[in-house]
Amino acid sequence: MTSRRIPNAIVLIALTLVTNVGSAQMHPIRVDVARDRVGAEPSTFIPMVGNWVVADEEGKEVVMVDGREWKRGQPAGGLADKARAIYGAKHEEFIDNVKAFAYFPIAVAKGIDDFQNGEISVRFMMVGGTLDRCAGILFNVKPNGDYLTVRFNGTEDNVVLWTFNEGKRSFVKRAPENFPLELGTWHELKIAVHGTQLTAFLDGKSVLDFTLKEPVSGKIGLWSKTDSMTEFTDFTVTPAVK
Amino acid sequence: MPSVRSLAAAALVAGFAGAPLHAQSSAGRCSPLDTTAKWYAKQRQWTDDSKHAWSNDSLRTALIHAAGLDADPNAGAGALLGYEIVGTTPDAPQGDAAAAIASLRTLAQNRGSTWPTKSVVGAQGVRAVWLLASRDSALARVALHRMMEAGPEESPPAAVAILEDRLRIANGRKQLYATQLVRSADGRLEPAPVEDAKHVDLRRDAAGLPPLAQAICAAAKR
């Protein structure tokens, strides 16, 4: 069972400055919650929809989307302030679209304003969810609330790319193989973006390739669905040289 | 393949307001049923049919009759404690029950059809569908899918959890909520194999079920 610990709200975005001269990779950026208070909202992710908290998993602070109190159409508390904080004057359109997508909990990573090329990876552990057991990488988040996600769904055992545009969710592509993953076990989901080329990986294995209509450009974060209870850790962004 | 014995009883229905709560309060070492607990309130709220807010009364009546819930006014009205004892074959459905099961299976095959959820047949009608599904594995599979699709306002998460566990065990998989109990060699009741046992009470809480220890204790007292 996930336990709760004593407050210590300090934001940590660990910038590991690993410069590979001559490589296409830039500095990996690890979005961490190690110094956050367990039980509180993460300070390095901004919850827009759903209940996102810092949880203690065997002594390590992780981000958990807790679907136990999920209600249809209910954005996270303080959505207007959060949207204003990241999109300023354009936040109202963002709010309208986020409310349309309130079926899907999302949390936007702080400090990464425009991811275009490179890799995003996260380790996830499905804990529960009566209707859904999902873990996804959110990317290409636009000021109007449109976004893309590559997600694993533990009730369907598959990896799928979805697009969310102007209040409508559209299926894009499903990985051809199914992956029955057990609850309570850690797995890694990763995407690699190079221009319009998108590749998704599950546990290091390339599972899905797709050519997007236009290059990626936008905020990134974590994605989930309805009442999923999923833990996330080691969210790492490695931008690539343009 | 294991099946489930006497589901209506084995799932243990402890009455809501007005009905006796002796299932645990008189059970010695079992802690009393906490009617202030969140899981209990969640189930109680879900099963409230007092507003008569369902759209198909004739279907509701037919389902309740087919499931045998009309024979006892208190049947199906209580809280699910979240256990079933795996082991013996359920009674083969006959008469109205068999006909209702066949109708529900046909309905499920029609993708655009309206499934009998809470807004259609009320909480008692949904309980009737769930009980009928317990007697037919093919119906159970499609009912689970439809219930999950409909969401927690339309399908009781506790019943969905029990149904999913039942199907997983029947298919040789580990269960998620530890609702399926088996007898150990020394006669004690214990859960059939559970996936990610560490978080089982978290999942039970999410589904609106009491902690596993409470369910096992209640099951042992039956």
Side-chain angles (χ1 to χ4, degrees):
Chain A
M1 172 99 185
T2 303
S3 62
R4 305 291 182 223
R5 289 206 326 207
I6 304 301
N8 180 17
I10 300 172
V11 177
L12 176 67
I13 300 178
L15 296 172
T16 310
L17 299 174
V18 181
T19 305
N20 295 320
V21 178
S23 161
Q25 301 291 307
M26 290 173 68
H27 316 305
I29 302 167
R30 190 159 170 243
V31 184
D32 203 335
V33 293
R35 303 284 179 90
D36 277 1
R37 179 170 62 89
V38 172
E41 280 192 354
S43 59
T44 48
F45 290 92
I46 307 172
M48 294 295 177
V49 177
N51 183 30
W52 297 81
V53 295
V54 176
D56 181 313
E57 185 62 44
E58 297 189 335
K60 181 177 180 180
E61 286 80 5
V62 298
V63 178
M64 179 183 182
V65 59
D66 186 350
R68 280 178 292 179
E69 300 301 323
W70 176 80
K71 288 187 175 64
R72 191 185 298 274
Q74 186 181 54
L79 174 62
D81 290 340
K82 291 168 179 171
R84 191 180 298 113
I86 61 171
Y87 286 123
K90 295 177 179 174
H91 75 281
E92 287 187 6
E93 191 179 5
F94 180 86
I95 289 174
D96 287 344
N97 268 337
V98 161
K99 282 183 176 172
F101 296 145
Y103 205 69
F104 308 97
I106 57 171
V108 174
K110 274 187 185 171
I112 302 165
D113 290 333
D114 189 9
F115 172 84
Q116 296 182 1
N117 285 284
E119 295 179 354
I120 305 170
S121 64
V122 69
R123 293 175 68 228
F124 68 93
M125 179 167 77
M126 297 174 293
V127 173
T130 313
L131 308 175
D132 283 296
R133 296 182 275 275
C134 283
I137 294 173
L138 173 76
F139 62 108
N140 205 38
V141 183
K142 304 294 189 184
N144 70 352
D146 288 356
Y147 64 78
L148 295 167
T149 183
V150 168
R151 65 94 177 110
F152 177 80
N153 187 330
T155 58
E156 299 172 0
D157 299 332
N158 59 24
V159 175
V160 171
L161 168 65
W162 290 93
T163 180
F164 293 72
N165 284 312
E166 297 176 355
K168 282 180 68 177
R169 179 178 75 141
S170 304
F171 168 84
V172 180
K173 189 173 181 182
R174 174 185 296 116
E177 195 179 339
N178 275 14
F179 307 93
L181 306 182
E182 283 209 356
L183 270 62
T185 57
W186 286 104
H187 300 276
E188 186 196 60
L189 187 64
K190 184 173 86 173
I191 61 167
V193 178
H194 300 287
T196 56
Q197 281 305 119
L198 170 74
T199 306
F201 301 82
L202 183 65
D203 291 332
K205 179 182 178 183
S206 171
V207 296
L208 184 154
D209 281 299
F210 187 74
T211 303
L212 301 163
K213 285 182 182 169
E214 55 189 32
V216 165
S217 176
K219 294 182 183 298
I220 61 174
L222 300 169
W223 184 95
S224 178
K225 188 178 176 192
T226 65
D227 69 341
S228 300
M229 289 186 291
T230 307
E231 294 180 350
F232 297 89
T233 190
D234 298 341
F235 185 89
T236 306
V237 188
T238 310
V241 174
K242 293 173 190 172
Chain B
M1 179 184 296
S3 53
V4 178
R5 180 183 61 192
S6 183
L7 287 166
L12 184 57
V13 176
F16 282 132
L21 299 175
H22 57 78
Q24 290 187 319
S25 58
S26 64
R29 288 175 299 180
C30 291
S31 58
L33 186 67
D34 180 6
T35 56
T36 64
K38 266 177 76 175
W39 71 267
Y40 188 87
K42 198 171 179 175
Q43 283 200 39
R44 182 173 183 171
Q45 184 183 22
W46 203 95
T47 53
D48 181 10
D49 267 346
S50 62
K51 292 180 181 169
H52 298 267
W54 54 85
S55 61
N56 193 334
D57 197 56
S58 57
L59 178 59
R60 170 188 162 91
T61 303
L63 288 167
I64 289 171
H65 175 71
L69 291 178
D70 55 352
D72 176 358
N74 287 323
L80 295 169
L81 290 185
Y83 72 81
E84 293 178 341
I85 300 169
V86 176
T88 56
T89 307
D91 300 335
Q94 294 178 339
D96 292 335
I101 286 169
S103 296
L104 287 166
R105 285 172 62 169
T106 303
L107 186 70
Q109 286 167 1
N110 182 354
R111 191 63 197 160
S113 62
T114 302
W115 187 253
T117 58
K118 189 177 182 183
S119 61
V120 179
V121 295
Q124 189 78 330
V126 172
R127 176 68 69 91
V129 172
W130 182 76
L131 288 170
L132 291 166
S134 74
R135 301 175 68 180
D136 183 274
S137 58
L139 175 59
R141 278 193 295 276
V142 291
L144 175 63
H145 183 69
R146 288 296 191 113
M147 290 171 87
M148 290 174 86
E149 230 175 27
E153 295 93 347
E154 292 290 323
S155 307
V160 172
I162 294 168
L163 192 54
E164 180 166 16
D165 271 2
R166 190 189 304 156
L167 286 168
R168 276 177 161 255
I169 293 296
N171 289 303
R173 297 180 67 188
K174 291 178 181 174
Q175 58 180 330
L176 300 181
Y177 303 91
T179 64
Q180 307 298 300
L181 305 183
V182 293
R183 287 213 180 270
S184 64
D186 61 3
R188 285 183 298 110
L189 283 169
E190 61 185 22
V194 179
E195 189 171 305
D196 183 28
K198 187 174 80 168
H199 295 103
V200 70
D201 274 337
L202 193 63
R203 286 193 290 279
R204 289 179 67 95
D205 179 57
L209 292 169
L212 176 58
Q214 193 172 359
I216 291 178
C217 191
K221 296 292 177 189
R222 287 186 64 85

